[in-house]
Amino acid sequence: SPVALDMAHSIDICENQRFPPEEFPNRKAFLSYTSLESEESYCRYGTVSEDGEVVDCADAAEAAEASEQLSKYNAEVLPKCICAPETHCARILLLSGALSILSGTICQMFLSGIIEFFGPVQTQATILVISALGLNAQMGVWDETSLMVASLLVGVAGASIFTSQFWCEQNFSPSVIGRVSGTSDGWGNLGAGAAQIVMIWCVMEPLTHLGLPFDTAWRFALIFPELIVLECSRWITNYCWDTPRGRYRSERTKTPAELRREILRCLADPRVLALGYQYASCFGVELVMNVVLTTHFRTYFQMDLGLACVVGGSFGLMNLFARALGGWISDYLFLAVGYRGRLWFQASVFALEGAAMITFSKIHSQSPWELVMVLLLVFSVLVQMAEGSTFAILPQVFPSRTAAASSVVSILANIGAIIVLLTIYKLFGADDPMFPYEIHALVICPAALLTVFLACPEKQEPKHPGKEPEQATFAFLQKEEESENGPEAPAAVSLEAGDNAS
């Protein structure tokens, strides 16, 4: 969240609120603090260490350069909210992010059957209404418990990506599903980056200039995304179709017990587990970055709120093209050399992603923000290309149970993100805040090797060899129309046509 530190300050969980420096001067988070702008340290005359760990500030008499007897504690240099790794504040913010992901995961566990019965339009509209209630709840948070409840409600929105994937699969040919799903899901994830920038520069800044206190401004700012989400829900309900032929007609023939058995079969399939690990290594990474990046830039790099939101938000902005690009390249290689082309690209993009995150983890707090942003953008592009590639492969690996496999893979990715947040980012980073990113990169690297589990002989060649993706889509839809007896099927269109078939 772009205002996570400000929210923490509003509910009094910052380290310097729970432990005022006047009463608890030797808290570890205080002793290690140095302002990058003024180069002043909390410990005015240096630090005292025992067994390699800083335990207190040095006395003035112990400092040869001391010219006047000032207090060895320089509390004035501390920011309004100390939320360094391993503080209570950092743990609460990580737990809040993990709960948000968890609620989306729980929703996805039930969506496989729900979406097949009610259709994507009704399901998506309902998810948006619930997430709008969460935004409303966030406006009124007053303590840790209310923050957790609001995070659970807002997290329901995370399940909307599964609905989007199912929706795309109902409307487009396997030959172009990578490009279509990548564009749809990517532009959905784009909102995470855009929201950080827009909320600060276009909503909160004007509100603070009108004289609202910052604690009040961030609460009022949440009204705007809430209204947008509710309007999107109304628009989807009134104007969108589930399929090219109109509203969804439930053809559900499976009982809940059969659906559970299908999901269990997916969990027993090593290809599903491989895709789940790979999706956790791209989409799961994006979920983690959305939780930690902006706060990390504000605490470790000490960027102001506006710059931190621009740099952190740029990670999500790459969804403008990167996820769709990953799907498009996978589709192109599929049409050119068959299914093995998708596998080559899948392995390559995960190897490059791991290398990019290792490089990003090597920067330090005094690195210029321009360098930080460039490395972050390269890493972001590779993460989102891997997402597009993964969901270009999935419908071909599991053509008869795409919905169940998609649900399981997405759930595994979310679970992976939660585990990473509550282990790597919670337990490490007290001495070096970049160390968790290095460990996370090492977790990503094996994803490239798991591509060997995705061999799929029955779907190795394109369904319409030698045709462009748009022609393949037209042929696919036309064949479906001819197989039905319904008289009112609208004409199929190419992807690049400007018609409004949803």
Side-chain angles (χ1 to χ4, degrees), residues 161 189 279-287 323 383 387 413-414:
I161 192 168
N189 294 345
Y279 203 48
S281 299
C282 51
F283 181 65
V285 169
E286 184 170 5
L287 292 176
R323 183 160 181 157
V383 167
E387 294 171 11
N414 288 1

Side-chain angles (χ1 to χ4, degrees), residues 150-181:
S151 298
L152 283 169
L153 289 172
V154 169
V156 172
S160 62
I161 192 168
F162 172 69
T163 312
S164 173
Q165 289 158 356
F166 182 88
W167 206 347
C168 289
E169 290 153 11
Q170 294 295 307
N171 286 275
F172 296 96
S173 158
S175 299
V176 293
I177 193 63
R179 188 198 311 186
V180 174
S181 179

